[in-house]
Amino acid sequence: GAVVSQHPSWVICKSGTSVKIECRSLDFQATTMFWYRQFPKQSLMLMATSNEGSKATYEQGVEKDKFLINHASLTLSTLTVTSAHPEDSSFYICSASQRAGIQETQYFGPGTRLLVL
Amino acid sequence: AQKVTQAQTEISVVEKEDVTLDCVYETRDTTYYLFWYKQPPSGELVFLIRRNSFDEQNEISGRYSWNFQKSTSSFNFTITASQVVDSAVYFCALRANTGNQFYFGTGTSLTVIP
């Protein structure tokens, strides 16, 4: 099946620094990618929908200036956590949407654990 | 509004017991998709099943079975003869036909005791 990768899988950074997380669809083109955040022992919450070549659509309560999303190509979306703080520590998961005719399937990446000290 | 409810937060069973994980959903869409994912401690979501709203046939895959009941808006998941490797958090999710984003339940943490 299709594979979605995320890089890095783990990142530890100091408070105030910016962190970039990449989401790649390895063997298919994804016009739409989604970014989720999961706090420990909680569910996945959609942060934003990333569309190739256009601005991302953010969910209510998600700061777009804090979480910058760029979907520069059909196989890559990036999430940049700007000026990260300890409360941004979380598990970030992306998913990529593959369309074949009228069928649309989503594939999830393995996730990125962010720890802000 | 789309919503998924997993009322069971944590379940513990002894190995070889059967266990059912409940999932109730809400949507106004007539076309939608329901999913179950397994999330082991590593964090990666493991796809288990997808069911579209027009297919109410129950499905069995090995020790796993799913019961989709549109009348009660439920999509329950049963593990037969549970094993220690089944220990994980299980998420039920809904994807509406419009928008394509997933709506996840809060998950059920299953512990299978040897």
Side-chain angles (χ1 to χ4, degrees):
Chain A
V3 177
V4 174
S5 71
Q6 284 185 237
H7 177 79
S9 54
W10 269 99
V11 58
I12 301 174
C13 69
K14 292 182 180 179
S15 187
T17 59
S18 293
V19 175
K20 180 186 283 188
I21 302 170
E22 293 184 349
C23 176
R24 291 182 186 273
S25 55
L26 297 184
D27 53 1
F28 67 100
Q29 294 184 328
T31 54
T32 304
M33 292 184 174
F34 301 89
W35 286 96
Y36 296 83
R37 180 168 58 183
Q38 184 182 27
F39 291 109
K41 298 193 176 182
Q42 294 189 27
S43 187
L44 285 76
M45 299 301 296
L46 179 68
M47 297 174 67
T49 303
S50 170
N51 298 297
E52 188 267 335
S54 64
K55 290 184 179 179
T57 304
Y58 290 81
E59 295 299 300
Q60 195 171 14
V62 178
E63 299 175 58
K64 58 183 179 183
D65 295 330
K66 171 102 179 144
F67 299 99
L68 300 178
I69 291 173
N70 185 285
H71 195 153
S73 77
L74 287 170
T75 59
L76 173 64
S77 175
T78 59
L79 167 68
T80 301
V81 183
T82 61
S83 187
H85 291 286
E87 58 266 29
D88 298 323
S89 299
S90 188
F91 188 49
Y92 293 87
I93 303 174
C94 74
S95 71
S97 181
Q98 180 187 33
R99 185 171 292 278
I102 61 172
Q103 276 279 77
E104 191 266 340
T105 307
Q106 280 199 31
Y107 300 92
F108 284 87
T112 296
R113 295 193 187 279
L114 170 63
L115 177 61
V116 185
L117 302 175
Chain B
Q2 327 285 355
K3 184 179 178 182
V4 176
T5 301
Q6 294 179 255
Q8 304 148 307
T9 307
E10 295 182 359
I11 300 177
S12 291
V13 298
V14 177
E15 200 171 20
K16 297 184 182 177
E17 286 184 348
D18 299 346
V19 58
T20 295
L21 309 182
D22 298 333
C23 174
V24 174
Y25 63 92
E26 294 176 32
T27 179
R28 290 182 180 169
D29 285 21
T30 53
T31 302
Y32 52 89
Y33 302 87
L34 296 165
F35 300 78
W36 275 96
Y37 285 89
K38 175 181 180 180
Q39 188 178 43
S42 64
E44 183 165 0
L45 289 174
V46 178
F47 169 81
L48 297 179
I49 190 171
R50 177 174 100 162
R51 173 67 76 230
N52 75 53
S53 53
F54 297 110
D55 182 2
E56 282 194 76
Q57 268 194 323
N58 292 327
E59 182 158 335
I60 298 175
S61 176
R63 296 185 297 108
Y64 296 168
S65 62
W66 291 269
N67 185 347
F68 178 25
Q69 299 276 349
K70 281 182 83 170
S71 60
T72 55
S73 298
S74 65
F75 187 42
N76 297 338
F77 171 34
T78 297
I79 302 175
T80 304
S82 59
Q83 299 176 1
V84 173
V85 293
D86 296 328
S87 297
V89 179
Y90 291 85
F91 288 98
C92 179
L94 166 74
R95 183 169 70 78
N97 200 36
T98 53
N100 292 327
Q101 61 263 46
F102 278 71
Y103 297 88
F104 284 87
T106 49
T108 297
S109 177
L110 173 66
T111 301
V112 181
I113 303 165

